[in-house]
Amino acid sequence: AQSVTQLGSHVSVSEGALVLLRCNYSSSVPPYLFWYVQYPNQGLQLLLKYTTGATLVKGINGFEAEFKKSETSFHLTKPSAHMSDAAEYFCAVSAALYGGATNKLIFGTGTLLAVQP
Amino acid sequence: NAGVTQTPKFQVLKTGQSMTLQCAQDMNHNSMYWYRQDPGMGLRLIYYSASEGTTDKGEVPNGYNVSRLNKREFSLRLESAAPSQTSVYFCASSEDEGLLAKNIQYFGAGTRLSVL
C-alpha cells in the first residue's frame, strides 16, 4: 500500500524567502513521485516528477524537489518566493508500473502556500 | 489545445436529484479518472478507466456510477444526490503506455457541485 503525508496544511512565507513544502511517502515498491500545483478555481498542473535516475528533479517556475530514499521524502523547494506562487500544492505517489498498467495516484492532503509582500 | 474539458463548471442540486458530469479529453489518452476534492482531504479517486470499455472502483465509489463512452469521454453519474456529495469533482487523463515519461495525469478545471 502507498500513502503520502504532507506536513503543514498552511505555509506562509515572505516574498523573496525560501519555500519549503514537505512530503513524506510510504511505498512497498519503487515509487514515482509527483508535485502538482492548484491555483484558485483551477485544476491541478504538474510541477515536477521523479521516476528514476537523478534524485534532484527540476520543475517549472523555479521549483525543484529531491528524492531521498533513506528518509522516504520528496520535499519541494524554491529559493525565492514570488507572489504568483501562492497556490495549493499536492504531493502524490504511484507505483512504478510496466506493461501499460493504469497509473493511479495517491495524493497528500495538500499545503496551501501564502506569499506575503 | 483544449486538453481535458469538464461540464458543467457549477451545479446546485436538491437531495435526491440525479445528474451526470461530463468529461472529454482530446489527447488520445488511454486512461481517465474521476476524483473528488474536499477541504483537508486532498483528492480521492472515485472511479477510473484504463481503456475504452473498462471501468474500476477507486477509493470512494459509493453513490456514483461511471461510463467510458468512447476513448475521449468518461462521465460520472450521481443517481440520487446526497449532501455528502457536495464537493469539487475533477476529471483527469493519462497516456499510460508503460513508458516512464508518460505517466502523468492531466486535469480538467473541475465541477463545483452543491447538494442542498
Side-chain angles (χ1 to χ4, degrees):
Chain A
Q2 296 173 302
S3 65
V4 174
T5 301
Q6 291 184 243
L7 295 177
S9 58
H10 292 79
V11 170
S12 182
V13 301
S14 299
E15 194 172 18
L18 172 71
V19 175
L20 171 60
L21 304 182
R22 298 180 186 274
C23 173
N24 289 89
Y25 71 91
S26 172
S27 179
S28 58
V29 297
Y32 289 0
L33 295 159
F34 305 79
W35 276 100
Y36 280 84
V37 60
Q38 183 181 31
Y39 298 103
N41 299 314
Q42 294 187 26
L44 278 70
Q45 304 172 32
L46 182 71
L47 264 183
L48 50 80
K49 64 178 174 69
Y50 168 80
T51 52
T52 60
T55 57
L56 182 62
V57 179
K58 296 186 185 300
I60 61 172
N61 301 337
F63 284 93
E64 61 182 35
E66 186 171 9
F67 170 60
K68 292 187 177 181
K69 184 178 179 180
S70 61
E71 299 178 8
T72 61
S73 69
F74 191 57
H75 302 329
L76 182 70
T77 60
K78 182 174 180 178
S80 176
H82 294 161
M83 297 295 290
S84 60
D85 294 327
E88 190 159 20
Y89 292 79
F90 292 92
C91 183
V93 64
S94 72
L97 300 173
Y98 303 93
T102 299
N103 176 32
K104 288 192 290 181
L105 292 176
I106 305 298
F107 284 90
T109 53
T111 297
L112 188 61
L113 176 66
V115 182
Q116 308 298 329
Chain B
N1 188 0
V4 179
T5 303
Q6 292 183 235
T7 56
K9 288 184 169 37
F10 302 94
Q11 184 71 48
V12 179
L13 294 178
K14 295 180 179 179
T15 297
Q17 287 185 316
S18 62
M19 78 161 295
T20 300
L21 282 63
Q22 306 287 353
C23 174
Q25 52 90 10
D26 62 2
M27 296 174 281
N28 201 37
H29 284 170
N30 295 316
S31 299
M32 298 185 73
Y33 313 80
W34 276 105
Y35 294 91
R36 60 177 289 172
Q37 183 181 27
D38 302 291
M41 304 190 74
L43 278 77
R44 292 180 292 168
L45 183 64
I46 304 171
Y47 271 94
Y48 66 99
S49 169
S51 62
E52 182 180 351
T54 67
T55 61
D56 286 287
K57 295 179 180 179
E59 182 184 353
V60 288
N62 291 345
Y64 305 95
N65 287 300
V66 290
S67 295
R68 183 73 182 269
L69 304 171
N70 47 56
K71 192 170 185 178
R72 290 187 64 247
E73 298 173 288
F74 188 38
S75 62
L76 178 72
R77 183 161 178 83
L78 286 69
E79 290 290 352
S80 179
S84 60
Q85 294 178 304
T86 293
S87 187
V88 182
Y89 291 86
F90 288 99
C91 178
S93 70
S94 64
E95 189 162 357
D96 286 340
E97 291 186 345
L99 300 176
L100 299 180
K102 297 186 178 182
N103 279 343
I104 298 170
Q105 291 189 19
Y106 297 85
F107 285 79
T111 295
R112 284 149 185 81
L113 176 67
S114 292
V115 183
L116 305 177

